Amino acid sequence: MSEIGLGAMQLSISGRPDHAQGVATIHAALDAGVTLIDTADAYSLDNSETGHNERLVGEALRSWGGDASDVLVATKGGHVRPEGRWEVDGSPEHLRAACEASLTALGVEAIGLYQFHRPDPSVPYAESVGALRDLLDEGKIGLAGISNADPTQIREAQEILGGRLASVQNQFSPAFRSSEAELRLCEDLGIAFLPWGPLGGASRAADVGSRFAVFADVAAAHEVSPQQVTLAWMLALSPVVIPIPGSSRPSTIEDSVAAADLRLSDDEVARLSAA
């Protein structure tokens, strides 16, 4: 895996760029060496266009001039978008149907990484993860992951999947650090930790430096953006961390990918961690 992935959600939700720019952004990520693209069936305006982001990702991969065979596409099921709302359906029946629809939307025979998007309070967690286990056993998906999970759910998923839990995708950023326990558990278990919203989300990414002065100070010292420093800091926290910053323009994903080459000192990492 590349050290930085692409979170493709911004290309399909409200405020999204036009189709050509969306494809260009994904192509820019691939050109920069990104080999992990995160999507979901629910990344759309509403249920009338479920799979919009998956179709966009699939089209971009097929139209890219390079070799996409080593690119891991990670999608998710378990969210639904009635009238644009974010609601959950973690029933095994829904997850199986959602997986089949995602296979079609992406245009693949098996999904590289399939993730349970968010726990459904009305469905036992074991039943939802059990659906992923069955899809894994059937070869519909190559890897299974979970998202928005707590430590208890991570351990339960690992047990249900027979030690095959590949990843945990939780919110994590300078402003949102409540998933540190999950990050450390993933490190202990050897599971990839994929921070979503690592720059604070589309509306906050541009002001990482203004909200956290130390990130701006370290960025100035290295003559890079505060966003690069944020991602480099996350990479320094643990070898299992693979941030998936969102982007809607080629220039922003190119800047994010450059964070993989930024080396922070132990003192800088400590200062950033204490911010």
Side-chain angles (χ1 to χ4, degrees), residues 60-118:
L61 286 170
R62 289 188 293 274
S63 62
W64 183 50
D67 180 7
S69 60
D70 63 345
V71 176
L72 179 66
V73 176
T75 192
K76 297 179 286 293
H79 255 308
V80 291
R81 303 296 310 281
E83 299 180 356
R85 299 188 303 274
W86 291 90
E87 297 183 2
V88 292
D89 186 344
S91 66
E93 297 78 14
H94 172 78
L95 291 173
R96 175 171 287 280
C99 179
E100 293 289 348
S102 291
L103 287 166
T104 300
L106 289 167
V108 297
E109 294 183 359
I111 292 170
L113 170 61
Y114 194 66
Q115 305 157 97
F116 177 37
H117 208 152
R118 187 178 294 275

Side-chain angles (χ1 to χ4, degrees), residues 200-256:
S203 63
R204 310 300 287 274
D207 50 79
V208 169
S210 61
R211 298 179 66 213
F212 299 93
V214 65
F215 284 83
D217 292 344
V218 173
H222 288 272
E223 299 183 334
V224 299
S225 69
Q227 291 77 19
Q228 274 193 44
V229 170
T230 299
L231 298 172
W233 164 68
M234 290 186 182
L235 291 172
L237 293 178
S238 171
V240 303
V241 172
I242 307 175
I244 48 172
S247 179
S248 58
R249 301 189 306 278
S251 60
T252 52
I253 188 58
E254 289 165 352
D255 183 75
S256 291

